[in-house]
Amino acid sequence: MTLLWENRKISIAEYCDLNENDPDHRYEYIDGQVYMRPIEHVRHAVIGANVGYLLGKGLKASPCVAYGSMAWVQLAETRYVYPDLTVSCDPQNCGKKDDAQTVQCPCLVVEISSPHTQAHDRGIKVEIYQACPTMQAFLLVETEIPQVRLYRRESNNRWI
């Protein structure tokens, strides 16, 4: 992940303008900082397609919906991200109908981590996903080695 401006924070309105006016790139907004997501490589795309297929198959008989990497996910008022895969089980999208393009109640996200995104995915992303009250699990899939990490919220709100 590339931090766009080292010493500059922007407003949500500025971020939304940037996101809307540059459809060729995906930007994440975390507490005023903007990060540009790198271009996905073939291995990343293959892993994403396979995990997405398995999620879709597993959710077939449930009210949950799996979203791909183009889904814009709002984790908090000042946190917008584009996970590789997102699951939401709230058919009303937390009761908010003002923005049909934003997933506002994720319960699971999947990040496919490459050498370019590894530090960001294992650092700030873990923190912000765990801080989201609707999040129940976060899956981190490595592209370079056969490794998957599952972070799961327990009933006492502790993450394992």
Side-chain angles (χ1 to χ4, degrees):
M1 291 281 197
T2 304
L3 180 62
L4 286 190
W5 301 288
E6 190 71 36
N7 297 316
R8 180 175 174 235
K9 290 188 175 190
I10 68 170
S11 70
I12 292 173
E14 290 172 301
Y15 166 68
C16 289
D17 286 344
L18 173 67
N19 219 19
E20 188 177 307
N21 294 320
D22 188 0
D24 295 333
H25 296 97
R26 289 183 295 156
Y27 300 96
E28 296 187 336
Y29 183 83
I30 301 171
D31 302 328
Q33 299 284 345
V34 177
Y35 299 86
M36 185 168 66
R37 289 188 55 105
I39 303 295
E40 297 173 357
H41 294 283
V42 173
R43 183 180 297 163
H44 186 280
V46 169
I47 293 169
N50 288 330
V51 174
Y53 169 77
L54 293 171
L55 274 176
K57 193 173 177 183
L59 297 173
K60 210 171 203 173
S62 82
C64 303
V65 177
Y67 299 89
S69 62
M70 295 306 289
W72 197 28
V73 178
Q74 182 179 8
L75 300 169
E77 192 165 325
T78 61
R79 294 177 175 170
Y80 291 83
V81 294
Y82 283 97
D84 291 300
L85 295 155
T86 306
V87 175
S88 177
C89 296
D90 183 350
Q92 306 298 313
N93 202 15
C94 292
K96 299 176 184 174
K97 297 184 186 239
D98 57 337
D99 186 356
Q101 296 191 18
T102 305
V103 177
Q104 294 170 318
C105 293
C107 61
L108 166 73
V109 294
V110 177
E111 289 287 358
I112 300 166
S113 190
S114 69
H116 303 293
T117 64
Q118 200 172 63
H120 192 72
D121 292 341
R122 289 183 183 176
I124 194 167
K125 284 279 189 93
V126 170
E127 291 175 25
I128 65 171
Y129 289 145
Q130 290 176 349
C132 178
T134 62
M135 191 70 66
Q136 296 302 309
F138 164 51
L139 189 67
L140 184 62
V141 182
E142 299 292 336
T143 58
E144 300 299 311
I145 57 173
Q147 183 179 49
V148 176
R149 291 181 182 183
L150 174 64
Y151 298 85
R152 192 177 64 223
R153 187 187 305 265
E154 292 185 322
S155 60
N156 61 0
N157 210 30
R158 196 182 101 172
W159 284 85
I160 60 167

